[in-house]
Amino acid sequence: MKRIFLIVLDSFGIGFSSDAYKFNDVGANTFAHIVEKCFLGQADINRKGALYIPNLIKLGITHAARAASKKKLLGYNNNLNVIGSYGFASEISSGKDTTSGHWEMVGVPVLDNWCYFTNKNNSFPKDILNYIICSSKLTGCLGNCHASGTDIISDLGEEHIRTKKPIIYTSSDSVLQIACHEVFFGLSNLYTLCKNIRIFLDKNKYKVARVIARPFIGHKKSDFQRTGNRRDFSMKPFSTTVMQKLIDEKKGQVIAIGKVSDIYSGVGISKHIKSTGLNELCHNTIEEIKKSKNNTMVFTNLVDFDSNWGHRRDVAGYAKGLEFFDKKLSQIIDLVQANDILILTADHGCDPTWTGTDHTRENVPILMYSPNLEKKFLGHRKTFADIGQTIAKYFLLSNMSYGESMF
């Protein structure tokens, strides 16, 4: 029986990449800076002391991080026994966003630029704004700028409730985000609006990676909060992913947990398990691993590391999340059978000690474990696509166009 369990710790970078200067990210290091803050007692909110992640260490995270950045990790040494193979990868895609990272790791790097809305204010072109307003018979839009999602909801939420105008905003990523109240605007109305915008953008050759529905609840500025009903309306991958090959060539199954299905616009996905929150994501991953059969890939994105702690520059929250996941990881490791492979990686960095709130251009870890897999240093992988090529080799699929197998 052959099974792959691919878990993406969203934003868990391990040191700035060689091209980080293009992104003003030289010096960023998500993992090392969290370790440092914990060691110095500067991340003791709802947790305490040095970062405690014995299972990630057992899989080789400190070895991979040291190789990727040559940076000393305070409080750790590399004399511990490692049970898996470990290495790190750099990204060849043009951006440092979720879509680029995820597409590249399954064999479809994004080598051309996405469409970005670079103006900090009045960010969106008039034809997009006019379509949003006219197609849904709205009286206008709010926002139209670069913003933090939580901040803009706090600032404009009351006006949105009063006027029913959607709040639209973007970031340094290729995204068009729309925040609306679940009750006063309606969740289904928000989804319909985002779906129609996706169709408009594709029809008019706007290469925007994602249209994101950001529903929220509450009645006034002091109690607005986003809900777990976020949905991403993504472009379809430009070419065939390794998941689609698994389905087409082996009649296999791809189980997508969390936002994975949205990232690939449902392409190459057999079953989607909606999950929100780190606890639920881990629980559903464990349950799907238990149920999975031959030629199955269980694919999970742990989004909280990015959305809840990375973007919000919450070091203590990120550390506590890593420690929580590490406890669950012991259960996952125990479920890995002789011919299975567990792969842990990330899609980009989001250093919670860095300036601003954007992603950071970083190398990502590749931790691989199987009872029958040779334990070795996987080296510096020149593209995330080596993950996809390795999966293709493992399942005896036709070769991907990018990447080299790590076997």
Side-chain angles (χ1 to χ4, degrees):
M1 184 163 70
K2 288 188 172 184
R3 305 181 300 174
I4 288 275
F5 313 131
L6 176 58
I7 301 177
V8 178
L9 284 72
D10 200 315
S11 85
F12 190 48
I14 56 173
F16 68 92
S17 57
S18 61
D19 63 354
Y21 65 93
K22 298 177 182 177
F23 303 86
N24 296 317
D25 287 334
V26 173
N29 192 323
T30 300
F31 180 47
H33 287 152
I34 292 170
V35 168
E36 178 180 24
K37 293 293 185 182
C38 291
F39 183 80
L40 296 175
Q42 297 173 0
D44 287 351
I45 301 172
N46 297 320
R47 60 164 305 281
K48 192 172 182 63
L51 186 66
Y52 185 67
I53 48 170
N55 293 297
L56 281 166
I57 291 173
K58 188 164 63 173
L59 292 183
I61 186 59
T62 57
H63 290 68
R66 184 67 180 270
S69 69
K70 307 298 188 292
K71 185 177 178 67
K72 181 176 175 60
L73 294 168
L74 291 178
Y76 295 131
N77 62 61
N78 275 10
N79 298 323
L80 301 172
N81 290 329
V82 174
I83 65 171
S85 296
Y86 59 90
F88 66 98
S90 300
E91 189 170 8
I92 60 172
S93 293
S94 61
K96 55 177 180 177
D97 56 277
T98 295
T99 304
S100 296
H102 279 79
W103 285 15
E104 184 171 328
M105 74 177 66
V106 298
V108 187
V110 183
L111 303 179
D112 297 328
N113 286 328
W114 293 107
C115 171
Y116 298 99
F117 304 108
T118 56
N119 294 334
K120 298 299 182 183
N121 295 295
N122 298 316
S123 301
F124 300 104
K126 287 185 178 179
D127 61 333
I128 295 178
L129 292 173
N130 289 338
Y131 176 79
I132 292 172
I133 294 168
C134 295
S135 65
S136 299
K137 299 179 181 178
L138 300 167
T139 58
C141 297
L142 303 176
N144 188 17
C145 60
H146 280 233
S148 156
T150 51
D151 290 345
I152 201 167
I153 289 170
S154 176
D155 293 340
L156 299 177
E158 292 181 3
E159 185 177 356
H160 162 72
I161 292 173
R162 187 171 63 252
T163 64
K164 305 300 186 293
K165 296 177 181 179
I167 302 168
I168 64 172
Y169 62 103
T170 188
S171 69
S172 62
D173 290 344
S174 177
V175 292
L176 191 160
Q177 305 191 72
I178 302 186
C180 292
H181 198 283
E182 283 199 0
V183 177
F184 297 108
F185 190 88
L187 187 59
S188 62
N189 291 334
L190 173 59
Y191 288 162
T192 298
L193 175 59
C194 291
K195 181 179 179 181
N196 289 338
I197 294 170
R198 174 78 271 165
I199 294 170
F200 174 84
L201 294 174
D202 293 344
K203 181 180 179 181
N204 289 276
K205 308 301 182 185
Y206 280 105
K207 191 179 173 184
V208 177
R210 291 177 292 162
V211 177
I212 305 177
R214 293 284 196 177
F216 66 98
I217 56 174
H219 292 83
K220 57 184 184 297
K221 181 174 184 174
S222 60
D223 64 4
F224 289 139
Q225 57 181 318
R226 296 194 295 198
T227 74
N229 291 319
R230 162 186 169 163
R231 277 198 63 187
D232 292 26
F233 296 81
S234 301
M235 287 191 71
K236 289 179 169 40
F238 307 138
S239 59
T240 305
T241 66
V242 73
M243 297 100 73
Q244 190 64 55
K245 288 195 176 199
L246 176 59
I247 292 170
D248 293 344
E249 297 179 19
K250 293 292 183 179
K251 309 302 180 189
Q253 292 284 306
V254 178
I255 313 301
I257 300 175
K259 72 175 188 177
V260 169
S261 182
D262 283 355
I263 293 170
Y264 300 100
S265 194
V267 175
I269 305 300
S270 308
K271 178 182 177 182
H272 167 50
I273 309 294
K274 181 180 178 182
S275 304
T276 57
L278 188 56
N279 183 40
E280 186 177 324
L281 285 161
C282 291
H283 172 77
N284 286 337
T285 299
I286 290 168
E287 292 305 306
E288 290 303 318
I289 288 173
K290 290 177 180 177
K291 294 187 292 186
S292 63
K293 302 185 185 306
N294 189 38
N295 288 332
T296 295
M297 178 175 172
V298 178
F299 192 172
T300 299
N301 173 282
L302 302 178
V303 67
D304 290 19
F305 292 112
D306 186 51
S307 61
N308 288 355
W309 305 310
H311 283 301
R312 298 184 189 181
R313 299 308 192 237
D314 180 357
V315 177
Y318 208 126
K320 185 178 179 181
L322 286 171
E323 290 170 335
F324 177 87
F325 171 70
D326 193 82
K327 292 178 181 177
K328 297 295 183 180
L329 182 55
S330 64
Q331 298 178 50
I332 295 171
I333 291 172
D334 288 344
L335 292 172
V336 179
Q337 298 178 13
N339 292 319
D340 299 336
I341 298 180
L342 169 66
I343 304 175
L344 304 184
T345 190
D347 51 346
H348 50 69
C350 198
D351 187 340
T353 72
W354 207 239
T355 56
T357 60
D358 293 334
H359 296 151
T360 42
R361 183 74 161 189
E362 296 185 51
N363 298 313
V364 302
I366 298 179
L367 309 180
M368 296 178 62
Y369 170 72
S370 174
N372 286 347
L373 194 65
E374 179 187 0
K375 301 170 183 61
K376 65 177 183 179
F377 177 47
L378 299 169
H380 177 195
R381 316 309 302 189
K382 300 301 175 60
T383 168
F384 296 1
D386 286 4
I387 296 172
Q389 195 72 273
T390 301
I391 294 171
K393 181 80 169 177
Y394 168 76
F395 282 120
L396 303 179
L397 307 174
S398 58
N399 286 336
M400 305 301 295
S401 298
Y402 292 90
E404 295 182 0
S405 172
M406 291 177 277
F407 292 138

